[in-house]
């Protein structure tokens, strides 16, 4: 299928291209994933600003939505994706593929960070996309504490959500912290 972005999608893509740390707050069905993938493809293959991308998402979204979006759109056909879900062995195999984009479910965020720290290996992802970033609203959770280490060293961080503050404005602080490490 050919992607013909609406004006707001063109604006969204340009914001990702121009800002290394950005939050996309768009309702469901407005194209957060295709806009993000379109910008990432440009950053990987045209401007060469991005090497490897990590996408953290709910399990179903990691397993189905991200791979399906890549297959759906004609302009994304060259983007490679690895699903680091399932058993630890399956996740390790996916990480070893060196795909352009690696997707992992949010429950395995801490495992992923610990995996690289335990090997004293350099963090391989220069871009991190957190899909449904509102699931990182608890700054005391193990998953938040783990991912903040990675977002601190990532060149680019992209947060995606349709519900940034479902229980109030305090839910926004941890998400924004992942973008600016508390600077604001």
């Amino acid at each position: 299928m050919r992607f013909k972005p609406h004006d707001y999608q063109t604006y969204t893509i340009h914001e990702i291209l121009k800002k290394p740390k950005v939050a996309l707050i768009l309702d469901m069905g407005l194209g957060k994933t295709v806009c993000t993938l379109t910008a990432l493809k440009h950053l990987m293959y045209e401007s060469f600003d991005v090497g490897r991308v990590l996408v953290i998402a709910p399990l179903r979204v990691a397993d189905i939505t991200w791979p399906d979006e890549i297959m759906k759109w004609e302009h994304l056909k060259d983007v490679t994706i690895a699903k680091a879900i399932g058993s630890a062995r399956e996740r390790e195999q996916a990480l070893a593929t060196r795909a352009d984009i690696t997707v992992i479910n949010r429950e395995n965020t801490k495992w992923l960070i610990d995996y690289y720290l335990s090997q004293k290996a350099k963090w391989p992802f220069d871009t991190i996309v957190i899909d449904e970033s509102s699931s990182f609203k608890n700054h005391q959770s193990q998953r938040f504490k783990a991912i903040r280490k990675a977002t601190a060293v990532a060149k680019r961080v992209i947060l995606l959500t349709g519900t940034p503050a479902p229980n109030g404005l305090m839910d926004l602080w941890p998400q924004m912290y992942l973008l600016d490490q508390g600077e604001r």
Side-chain angles (χ1 to χ4, degrees), residues 146-165:
I147 197 58
R148 77 177 184 196
K149 295 174 189 173
T151 58
V153 298
K155 183 177 174 181
R156 292 181 168 272
V157 178
I158 303 166
L159 304 182
L160 308 177
T161 188
T163 55

Side-chain angles (χ1 to χ4, degrees), residues 19 23 26 36 42 86 121 143 154 157 162:
K19 295 179 181 171
L26 296 170
T36 302
H42 177 87
R143 130 174 71 196
V157 178

Side-chain angles (χ1 to χ4, degrees), residues 52 91-98 102 111-112 115-116 125:
R52 286 183 73 192
R91 293 190 301 263
E92 289 170 6
Q93 287 174 338
L95 293 172
T97 66
R98 307 257 323 141
T102 301
W111 172 88
L112 179 70
Y115 174 78
Y116 283 104
F125 304 102

Side-chain angles (χ1 to χ4, degrees), residues 14-24 43 125-130 147-160 175-184:
H14 288 174
E15 288 300 299
I16 295 170
L17 294 175
K18 113 180 140 168
K19 295 179 181 171
K21 312 268 176 135
V22 64
L24 302 183
L43 291 166
F125 304 102
D126 53 12
T127 300
I128 300 171
V129 178
I130 302 175
I147 197 58
R148 77 177 184 196
K149 295 174 189 173
T151 58
V153 298
K155 183 177 174 181
R156 292 181 168 272
V157 178
I158 303 166
L159 304 182
L160 308 177
Q175 295 173 74
M176 295 305 107
Y177 182 92
L178 295 175
L179 291 177
D180 71 2
Q181 302 299 298
E183 183 179 320
R184 283 182 199 90

Side-chain angles (χ1 to χ4, degrees), residues 11 24 41 53 55 60 62-63 65 72 96 98-99 101 108-109 114 141 147 162 182:
Y11 175 81
L24 302 183
K41 181 179 180 194
V53 177
V55 174
R60 182 168 163 65
D63 188 29
T65 304
K72 177 181 179 179
R98 307 257 323 141
I101 298 173
N108 283 316
T109 302
D114 291 346
S141 72
I147 197 58

Side-chain angles (χ1 to χ4, degrees), residues 2-122:
R2 189 165 178 265
F3 179 54
K4 292 170 55 175
H6 297 283
D7 290 343
Y8 74 89
Q9 290 172 320
T10 300
Y11 175 81
T12 300
I13 293 164
H14 288 174
E15 288 300 299
I16 295 170
L17 294 175
K18 113 180 140 168
K19 295 179 181 171
K21 312 268 176 135
V22 64
L24 302 183
I25 302 170
L26 296 170
D27 282 334
M28 186 172 78
L30 293 181
K32 290 183 292 288
T33 307
V34 69
C35 288
T36 302
L37 284 166
T38 301
L40 289 172
K41 181 179 180 194
H42 177 87
L43 291 166
M44 287 186 284
Y45 293 128
E46 294 177 39
S47 66
F48 305 105
D49 288 332
V50 168
R52 286 183 73 192
V53 177
L54 173 68
V55 174
I56 301 169
L59 178 60
R60 182 168 163 65
V61 175
D63 188 29
I64 298 169
T65 304
W66 282 84
D68 283 0
E69 285 287 308
I70 289 172
M71 291 177 13
K72 177 181 179 179
W73 300 105
E74 186 179 306
H75 71 290
L76 300 173
K77 66 181 177 188
D78 298 329
V79 177
T80 59
I81 189 165
K83 296 191 288 187
I85 57 177
S87 69
R89 180 178 160 89
E90 290 169 317
R91 293 190 301 263
E92 289 170 6
Q93 287 174 338
L95 293 172
T97 66
R98 307 257 323 141
D100 296 326
I101 298 173
T102 301
V103 292
I104 192 165
N105 56 308
R106 60 189 174 204
E107 293 80 12
N108 283 316
T109 302
K110 184 177 179 332
W111 172 88
L112 179 70
I113 307 301
D114 291 346
Y115 174 78
Y116 283 104
L117 289 176
S118 69
Q119 297 182 15
K120 296 191 182 356
K122 183 179 177 208

